[in-house]
Amino acid sequence: MRCRKCRERAVIHMRQHKLALCRDHYLAWIPEQTERFIRKYRMFTRDEPVLVAVSGGKDSLALWDVLLRLGYRADGLYLGLGIDGDIGYSDASYAKIRAFAEQHPEARLHVLDIRETYGESIPELAQRTRRGKGKPCSVCGLVKRHEMNRIAHELGYPVLATGHNLDDEVAVLFQNTLHWNTGYLARQYPVLPGGDGFARKVKPFCRFYERETAAYAILRGIDYIYDECPYSVGATTIYYKELLDRLEADRPGAKLSFYLSFLRAKDQDGLFAHVQEGERAEMHPCSRCGQPTTAPDLCAFCRLWPEEVLERPTETFIPLTLAPVAEPPEAA
Amino acid sequence: MNPSDPRAMQPTEDPSAPKPERPKVVVKLRGQIWEVEGNRRAREVVRELGLNPESYLVVRDGELITDDTILRPGDRVELIAVISGG
Ligand code: SF4
Ligand SMILES: [Zn+2]
Ligand SMILES: [Zn+2]
């Protein structure tokens, strides 16, 4: 197969776009498209510092790479979850991220270790709390969301970016549609507005297939963690992704069209708009941390920890900053 | 076919039997090795292993190739799983 633009040997064929590209044209196409999505969904501008949540996986490192190539002020945030699973998962992820950051002196990397900060790793926290019984994913997701919000807020980043790709989005959309979970469906979008000092959340890769972000990482020589988190084994997301890939194999473009028609229904027909209004009305700030919650007093994160942990001096909750950089970002 | 047993695909060592001389395509995935017939498109090889070509990238000699590429006997390819969870 040949590149549509130059007739060189193609490295990727994107059936949903009927587009095959060579290495060079593909490495140019990904940032161009990312830029297009950033503008289309009004995610952020070049004046706004962006905090990229990096896990060490292909998507988040590729996203950080693309944003830096595009000239955005993109810094990384890594949360040390303390997950080992006999493969030293967290340590290995962190090593990949550091290696990436060291090659990019123009960016800084913020690191927060959950155990050092709160006294328990994610698996330990999951053991202790009712919410985490069985699988740590529920507490893990909760902690990550809370800490990303908090850190973006404290370090003054108006924008928080995650590496979610189209397959992630479609798997969640599919799951939420199966359950008609209107609350989640109402909130799913490439950009979620910030407010009350909290960062806007953006997903600049939300229209790339997972195979495209993987291909980009490989072609750019980004050394990402190929092993999965040991707790993701048997995750429903993976099951839905496999199911959707079977559909995609038979009907190229099925995933893209599922996602885009969902967005169109929201944009043009106001699908789930009333649900979102209702949800927003029920939100109020947590009495301890100030993050928006529907719970009556403390948010779910603050309820996870004993009082003595949360009452420590505020400075102890600030992440460590690595990698050389010129100036700190301006406050939002 | 059970992809968890790569040896199932290989000819057994039997010195008395005349060995088929045709080299195979060697496929690697997550540390496992398969040997399969060549002269077919990469996507057919992936399918033969019971995998969905949509969920894998194919790398030959360190280069990404499209799944319509014909794999020749003696080629060594690596499959990269693209689905990640969590
Ligand atoms: S798989 Fe579960 S435990 Fe592992 S990083 Fe994802 S949410 Fe956390
Ligand atoms: Zn080209
Ligand atoms: Zn709180």
Side-chain angles (χ1 to χ4, degrees):
Chain A
M1 195 163 288
R2 300 272 141 195
C3 172
R4 185 202 279 176
K5 300 193 178 182
C6 72
R7 314 305 299 159
E8 281 293 312
R9 186 181 72 79
V11 293
I12 191 159
H13 178 209
M14 295 170 280
R15 283 189 184 77
Q16 79 279 24
H17 302 309
K18 298 190 174 62
L19 178 63
L21 293 173
C22 70
R23 181 198 143 85
D24 290 352
H25 281 115
Y26 186 65
L27 288 178
W29 184 83
I30 289 280
E32 275 162 28
Q33 293 298 308
T34 309
E35 179 76 52
R36 187 164 82 84
F37 305 148
I38 290 170
R39 287 173 190 226
K40 179 173 171 66
Y41 300 108
R42 296 199 180 82
M43 293 185 179
F44 47 88
T45 66
R46 281 187 172 66
D47 298 328
E48 293 175 297
V50 179
L51 188 60
V52 184
V54 282
S55 66
K58 63 185 188 312
D59 300 293
S60 54
L61 286 179
L63 174 61
W64 197 6
D65 182 78
V66 167
L67 294 182
L68 291 173
R69 280 181 69 198
L70 286 169
Y72 286 100
R73 296 172 57 191
D75 293 335
L77 167 63
Y78 171 68
L79 297 176
L81 306 172
I83 294 173
D84 184 65
D86 299 331
I87 52 166
Y89 175 73
S90 287
D91 292 345
S93 312
Y94 181 42
K96 305 278 183 200
I97 295 166
R98 278 202 72 147
F100 181 92
E102 275 158 18
Q103 291 164 19
H104 294 83
E106 73 276 30
R108 45 165 59 191
L109 171 64
H110 305 286
V111 179
L112 182 116
D113 188 86
I114 298 296
R115 192 205 260 126
E116 272 169 30
T117 311
Y118 295 98
E120 282 170 310
S121 68
I122 293 294
E124 288 164 351
L125 174 66
Q127 277 292 318
R128 180 174 58 77
T129 57
R130 212 157 51 98
R131 192 180 171 122
K133 278 284 166 315
K135 265 205 149 204
C137 295
S138 165
V139 279
C140 182
L142 168 66
V143 168
K144 283 192 284 197
R145 266 192 309 279
H146 186 277
E147 291 300 88
M148 286 175 197
N149 272 333
R150 178 179 73 78
I151 292 163
H153 174 71
E154 281 172 16
L155 300 178
Y157 288 90
V159 184
L160 182 62
T162 52
H164 291 98
N165 56 50
L166 186 130
D167 292 75
D168 296 322
E169 292 302 298
V170 165
V172 166
L173 174 59
F174 187 65
Q175 181 166 23
N176 288 333
T177 306
L178 281 182
H179 299 111
W180 287 113
N181 196 329
T182 52
Y184 289 142
L185 288 165
R187 255 172 288 147
Q188 186 175 4
Y189 203 70
V191 49
L192 289 181
D196 295 325
F198 289 100
R200 190 178 324 133
K201 292 189 182 158
V202 300
K203 301 171 183 172
F205 275 4
C206 66
R207 288 176 60 161
F208 291 133
Y209 280 13
E210 193 147 31
R211 65 201 321 277
E212 291 154 20
T213 59
Y216 178 85
I218 292 168
L219 291 168
R220 282 283 289 166
I222 296 171
D223 185 19
Y224 64 89
I225 179 145
Y226 185 52
D227 285 322
E228 290 291 321
C229 171
Y231 297 111
S232 77
V233 175
T236 41
T237 343
I238 295 184
Y239 173 72
Y240 289 133
K241 282 181 175 181
E242 285 169 352
L243 211 56
L244 289 155
D245 268 355
R246 276 163 59 186
L247 177 67
E248 183 74 23
D250 293 340
R251 299 172 178 272
K255 291 186 295 190
L256 181 65
S257 127
F258 184 35
Y259 186 57
L260 292 186
S261 34
F262 168 68
L263 296 185
R264 209 173 306 125
K266 295 189 94 171
D267 291 340
Q268 293 175 5
D269 311 331
L271 183 71
F272 302 120
H274 64 289
V275 183
Q276 205 171 14
E277 293 293 301
E279 292 231 327
R280 230 176 258 146
E282 284 170 33
M283 292 291 210
H284 59 88
C286 163
S287 59
R288 193 198 71 87
C289 71
Q291 288 200 24
T293 175
T294 50
D297 175 27
L298 289 177
C299 74
F301 176 86
C302 292
R303 274 183 283 131
L304 283 176
W305 311 96
E307 248 168 59
E308 61 274 19
V309 171
L310 297 176
E311 274 166 5
R312 294 209 323 257
T314 331
E315 308 84 74
T316 58
F317 299 107
I318 302 289
L320 174 85
T321 297
L322 296 164
V325 192
E327 305 145 12
E330 284 153 22
Chain B
M1 174 184 323
N2 177 11
S4 65
D5 186 8
R7 286 158 307 175
M9 293 296 302
Q10 291 170 16
T12 44
E13 289 295 327
D14 180 0
S16 63
K19 254 195 253 172
E21 278 310 306
R22 281 216 320 240
K24 305 248 177 171
V25 173
V26 178
V27 185
K28 202 175 136 195
L29 168 63
R30 291 197 194 276
Q32 294 198 347
I33 309 264
W34 287 269
E35 290 192 13
V36 297
E37 292 297 327
N39 292 321
R40 292 182 297 163
R41 293 179 196 283
R43 93 166 71 90
E44 277 134 36
V45 166
V46 175
R47 275 201 208 109
E48 183 187 307
L49 299 174
L51 306 170
N52 181 349
E54 202 52 44
S55 315
Y56 294 84
L57 293 171
V58 187
V59 174
R60 181 176 63 189
D61 301 327
E63 294 204 46
L64 206 55
I65 55 174
T66 51
D67 68 3
D68 67 328
T69 309
I70 307 274
L71 299 181
R72 303 289 175 198
D75 275 357
R76 306 178 76 84
V77 297
E78 178 162 10
L79 304 185
I80 313 281
V82 299
I83 293 187
S84 65

